């Protein structure tokens, strides 16, 4: 790395190349505390379910996927051979993103979004991608919103119960069961369901790195922790024992809930763009670039991860605000410095992602046989599309999990994974 960039990052407490295994061990230690009901950052939420041993056949289920910025809903029908068919898909905005909503307004908007599916099935699989306490009947009590959703009256509510009440008031027939699950649980269930006849996996992990970030894994039965074998949602984004740079701290002050979801704010798509903006502003203030570039950076009103990623994929693309600066007024050294700063922020995201997956893999106690690896179904645009994230995560996992710890793993994906996983959750009794 350019010496002046290294000095700049160090001066602002940005740690380059965090040690993946050390972070993983800290995350896992916090996971164990959470399982024991001791004070911990991560909630470690039991789900009271495991992947079903047989596929669903001849059944239909309404699926809701509510998380990030989008609200998706559809009908999933499994034929007599267990093959799923998705129909009636609609996508709209997630309620509470654009403006604050009351509890009544929140669920009324949900019901309006589901009107096209009215009475098409008597079960609902509901992927609700926010911290919840899952109840044994499949419902979920909201612990709090992330991703800047604004509906404070909904916190503490039984989401499924409230939704059914609103649907009933809108003339729906009886809903026999509504099952709440996190998107990571849906990903994990999809990983199990999508395995081919030639695959043999020893365990499963679901990991999301998109607008937000979280993980779920299968916890073995543990007498010390007093838990049966089941899927556990970690709420990894709430982990706080992380190093934060000046850029992270300054950005955090502007968020809806400062001081919370600290690991998520270092990793996920909703935050990487703004953190990058604060970093470039600091670099301009420090005079790291030539004067023309410093002045140009000062005029940038905001940055999204999409804009940062476009720049990293094409540093001289004039359709991008940063690429235009590099192509038109910057020196080669300016562009090199800008690239390295932004790449360091994205690379850090990949290291923390690998640390979370490493912690979950160790905690499964599986993956000791190379022919039966741990299936890690990963999802999210930040994971798959952001510059070099997926490739770096692969490299770090190979180095830490396989070479250092002798744990074998495989990152997988499948089409419509969250939809399929949510449908499966809706059919688990």
């Amino acid at each position: 790395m350019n010496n002046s960039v290294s000095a700049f990052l160090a001066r602002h407490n940005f740690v380059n190349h965090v040690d993946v295994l050390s972070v993983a061990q800290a995350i896992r230690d916090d996971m164990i505390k959470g399982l024991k009901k001791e004070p911990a950052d991560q909630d470690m939420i039991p789900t009271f379910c495991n992947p079903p041993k047989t596929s669903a056949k001849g059944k239909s289920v309404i699926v809701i996927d509510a998380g990030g910025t989008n609200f998706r809903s559809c009908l999933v029908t499994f034929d007599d051979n267990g093959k799923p068919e998705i129909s009636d898909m609609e996508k709209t905005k997630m309620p509470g993103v654009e403006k604050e909503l009351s509890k009544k307004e929140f669920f009324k908007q949900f019901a309006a979004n589901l009107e096209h599916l009215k009475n098409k099935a008597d079960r609902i699989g509901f992927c609700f991608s926010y911290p919840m306490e899952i109840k044994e009947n499949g419902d979920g009590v909201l612990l709090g919103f992330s991703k800047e959703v604004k509906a404070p009256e909904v916190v503490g509510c039984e989401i499924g119960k409230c939704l059914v009440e609103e649907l009933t008031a809108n003339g729906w027939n009886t809903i026999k069961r509504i099952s709440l699950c996190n998107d990571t649980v849906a990903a994990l269930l999809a990983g199990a369901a999508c395995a081919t006849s030639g695959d043999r996996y020893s365990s499963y992990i679901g990991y999301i790195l998109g607008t937000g970030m979280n993980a779920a894994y299968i916890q073995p039965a543990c007498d010390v922790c007093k838990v049966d074998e089941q899927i556990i949602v970690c709420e990894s984004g709430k982990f706080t024992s992380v190093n934060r740079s000046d850029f992270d701290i300054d950005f955090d002050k502007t968020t809806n809930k400062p001081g919370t979801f600290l690991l998520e704010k270092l990793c996920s798509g909703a935050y990487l763009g703004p953190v990058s903006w604060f970093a470039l502003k600091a670099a301009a203030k420090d005079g790291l670039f030539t004067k023309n570039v410093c002045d140009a950076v000062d005029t940038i009103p905001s940055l999204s991860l999409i804009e940062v990623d476009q720049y990293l994929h094409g540093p001289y693309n004039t359709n991008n605000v940063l690429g235009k600066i590099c192509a038109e007024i910057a020196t080669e050294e300016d562009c090199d410095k800008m690239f390295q700063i932004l790449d360091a922020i994205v690379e850090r995201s990949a290291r923390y992602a690998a640390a979370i997956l490493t912690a979950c893999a160790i905690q499964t106690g599986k993956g000791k046989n190379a022919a039966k690896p741990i299936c890690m179904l990963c999802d999210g645009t930040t994971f798959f599309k952001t510059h070099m994230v997926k490739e770096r995560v692969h490299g770090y996992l190979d180095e830490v999990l396989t070479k250092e710890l002798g744990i074998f793993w495989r990152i997988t994906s499948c089409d419509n994974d969250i939809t399929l996983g949510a449908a499966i959750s809706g059919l688990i009794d």
Side-chain angles (χ1 to χ4, degrees), residues 57-242:
K57 296 179 180 180
K59 296 181 179 180
S60 295
V61 58
I62 292 168
V63 169
I64 306 168
D65 178 8
T69 56
N70 296 316
F71 181 104
R72 298 178 180 87
S73 55
C74 66
L75 184 72
V76 177
T77 302
F78 294 89
D79 66 18
D80 292 338
N81 295 316
K83 182 179 178 180
E85 178 183 349
I86 299 172
S87 62
D88 302 283
M89 174 69 80
E90 286 192 5
K91 182 175 79 170
T92 185
K93 287 283 187 181
M94 175 66 191
V97 170
E98 294 182 337
K99 66 176 183 177
E100 182 171 318
L101 300 178
S102 67
K103 175 184 172 183
K104 179 65 177 176
E105 291 170 332
F106 185 80
F107 287 104
K108 185 176 181 179
Q109 185 62 60
F110 265 57
N113 291 347
L114 297 173
E115 187 65 22
H116 67 292
L117 297 168
K118 188 174 183 176
N119 298 330
K120 292 189 176 182
D122 58 11
R123 285 175 173 261
I124 297 176
F126 191 167
C127 179
F128 193 61
S129 304
Y130 303 94
M132 295 181 292
E133 177 189 348
I134 300 297
K135 300 169 69 71
E136 291 193 49
N137 67 358
D139 206 343
V141 178
L142 178 65
L143 300 177
F145 279 116
S146 58
K147 307 168 198 172
E148 307 303 294
V149 173
K150 299 172 284 294
E153 291 181 8
V154 182
V155 176
C157 293
E158 294 182 32
I159 300 299
K161 179 181 177 181
C162 292
L163 178 57
V164 169
E165 289 174 353
E166 187 64 35
L167 295 179
T168 301
N170 280 269
W172 283 56
N173 296 334
T174 301
I175 299 295
K176 289 183 178 178
R177 182 179 175 88
I178 181 166
S179 299
L180 274 290
C181 72
N182 185 277
D183 50 0
T184 56
V185 175
L188 188 155
L189 291 172
C194 292
T196 68
S197 60
D199 292 324
R200 292 291 186 274
Y201 293 117
S202 54
S203 193
Y204 298 90
I205 293 170
Y207 179 67
I208 308 293
L209 183 59
T211 303
M213 185 273 299
N214 199 10
Y217 72 101
I218 299 178
Q219 168 65 40
C222 176
D223 292 336
V224 175
C225 299
K226 297 180 181 179
V227 294
D228 297 325
E229 182 180 42
Q230 61 186 291
I231 300 170
I232 297 289
V233 176
C234 302
E235 294 302 334
S236 305
K238 298 177 76 172
F239 186 65
T240 62
S241 296
V242 293

Side-chain angles (χ1 to χ4, degrees), residues 139-424:
D139 206 343
V141 178
L142 178 65
L143 300 177
F145 279 116
S146 58
K147 307 168 198 172
E148 307 303 294
V149 173
K150 299 172 284 294
E153 291 181 8
V154 182
V155 176
C157 293
E158 294 182 32
I159 300 299
K161 179 181 177 181
C162 292
L163 178 57
V164 169
E165 289 174 353
E166 187 64 35
L167 295 179
T168 301
N170 280 269
W172 283 56
N173 296 334
T174 301
I175 299 295
K176 289 183 178 178
R177 182 179 175 88
I178 181 166
S179 299
L180 274 290
C181 72
N182 185 277
D183 50 0
T184 56
V185 175
L188 188 155
L189 291 172
C194 292
T196 68
S197 60
D199 292 324
R200 292 291 186 274
Y201 293 117
S202 54
S203 193
Y204 298 90
I205 293 170
Y207 179 67
I208 308 293
L209 183 59
T211 303
M213 185 273 299
N214 199 10
Y217 72 101
I218 299 178
Q219 168 65 40
C222 176
D223 292 336
V224 175
C225 299
K226 297 180 181 179
V227 294
D228 297 325
E229 182 180 42
Q230 61 186 291
I231 300 170
I232 297 289
V233 176
C234 302
E235 294 302 334
S236 305
K238 298 177 76 172
F239 186 65
T240 62
S241 296
V242 293
N243 176 271
R244 295 197 298 159
S245 68
D246 295 345
F247 326 132
D248 302 301
I249 294 169
D250 288 343
F251 165 64
D252 181 47
K253 294 174 183 176
T254 72
T255 61
N256 195 36
K257 295 181 179 179
T260 63
F261 293 90
L262 299 188
L263 180 51
E264 182 169 279
K265 289 172 181 173
L266 299 185
C267 293
S268 65
Y271 307 111
L272 291 179
V275 169
S276 298
W277 183 83
F278 274 95
L280 290 183
K281 291 286 186 178
K285 184 177 180 180
D286 286 8
L288 191 66
F289 311 119
T290 55
K291 186 178 186 307
N292 284 346
V293 173
C294 288
D295 291 343
V297 167
D298 272 336
T299 66
I300 298 173
S302 64
L303 274 179
S304 67
L305 176 57
I306 292 174
E307 292 170 312
V308 171
D309 187 51
Q310 286 174 343
Y311 172 76
L312 291 174
H313 277 98
Y316 295 93
N317 183 345
T318 56
N319 293 323
N320 176 275
V321 61
L322 300 177
K324 187 175 178 64
I325 291 172
C326 282
E328 296 181 355
I329 63 173
T331 66
E332 286 192 7
E333 187 176 3
D334 285 327
C335 297
D336 181 43
K337 291 175 180 178
M338 184 178 294
F339 190 99
Q340 290 194 37
I341 291 169
L342 299 179
D343 189 55
I345 291 169
V346 171
E347 194 266 352
R348 182 181 66 174
S349 173
R351 283 182 176 267
Y352 277 117
I356 293 165
L357 288 166
T358 296
C360 289
I362 296 171
Q363 194 61 19
T364 67
K366 305 294 184 180
K368 306 299 175 63
N369 184 328
K372 294 182 68 176
I374 298 168
C375 173
M376 300 176 174
L377 192 140
C378 297
D379 190 14
T381 53
T382 304
F383 184 88
F384 281 106
K385 293 185 178 181
T386 301
H387 183 258
M388 293 296 291
V389 167
K390 179 182 69 174
E391 294 83 355
R392 283 165 164 160
V393 170
H394 269 268
Y396 303 145
L397 290 179
D398 184 59
E399 187 67 31
V400 175
L401 272 182
T402 305
K403 294 179 181 178
E404 291 192 43
L405 302 178
I407 296 174
F408 299 92
W409 51 277
R410 183 185 301 167
I411 289 179
T412 66
S413 63
C414 72
D415 293 338
N416 302 305
D417 49 4
I418 303 303
T419 299
L420 176 60
I424 292 168

